[in-house]
Amino acid sequence: MEIKELIGKQELDERIKNLAMQIEKDYDKKEIVVIGILTGAVYFTTALTNKIKNNIELYFMKVSSYGVETDSSGKVTIEIDLKADIKGKDVLIVEDIVDTGYTLKYIKEYLSKKEPKSIKCAVLLDKKERRKVKIDADYTGFEIPNKFVMGYGLDYKEKYRNLPYVGYIEI
Ligand code: IMP
Ligand code: MG
């Protein structure tokens, strides 16, 4: 399988630094409850939060959304739930990619029911043209074409997450 580079390490670092600066500015000096979505958003979540000077509480949740191989089923299930109480807090969901939008929409609605003071989403990648439900992130790293991508946390059949860049295969 040939993996081609789509977004290089330096480009990722620079963009994430910019997003961090924007988030710092928007939240002023407020405390942020960051909820990273396992497993894909691990690299993005650590890189992003590392660069934000605000006080941060960091949690992770695990959801699964994929039925078969590379296509979203639309059914989202929670595999590891959030234990923290987020009522009245400023919550920032950090996700690797928005594709059809089912996953992020589900997570946002699920967490909204816990009555946070505010809730926003930061996503590293956005395949806008694939969207099936209306959901937009507040912070987006890169809009990408309709290609199956891997690396920097994203997998293809659980592999390639550890690539330091975002690559793609033709499908
Ligand atoms: P959605 O529910 O269709 O928006 O899918 C979002 C989830 O599917 C993400 O959290 C990813 O885990 C996964 N996903 C979507 N597109 C890709 C891709 O190109 N590569 C790897 N994972 C992907
Ligand atoms: Mg994911």
Side-chain angles (χ1 to χ4, degrees), residues 35 37 63 65 72 76 92-112 119-126 131 133-140:
I35 302 175
I37 308 303
V63 301
S65 45
S72 190
V76 184
L92 180 65
I93 302 165
V94 181
E95 175 61 314
D96 53 358
I97 187 166
V98 209
D99 184 23
T100 60
Y102 287 122
T103 309
L104 192 59
K105 190 169 198 278
Y106 179 90
I107 296 167
K108 196 173 177 185
E109 285 174 2
Y110 175 78
L111 293 175
S112 294
I119 188 158
K120 286 188 179 186
C121 306
V123 301
L124 181 63
L125 308 170
D126 186 352
R131 201 75 89 253
V133 286
K134 197 182 151 31
I135 177 96
D136 281 312
D138 302 276
Y139 305 97
T140 302

Side-chain angles (χ1 to χ4, degrees), residues 43 150-155 158-165:
Y43 288 74
M150 65 266 291
Y152 209 77
L154 292 108
D155 73 306
E158 292 304 327
K159 293 195 174 62
Y160 311 107
R161 293 192 194 274
N162 59 314
L163 295 177
Y165 58 89

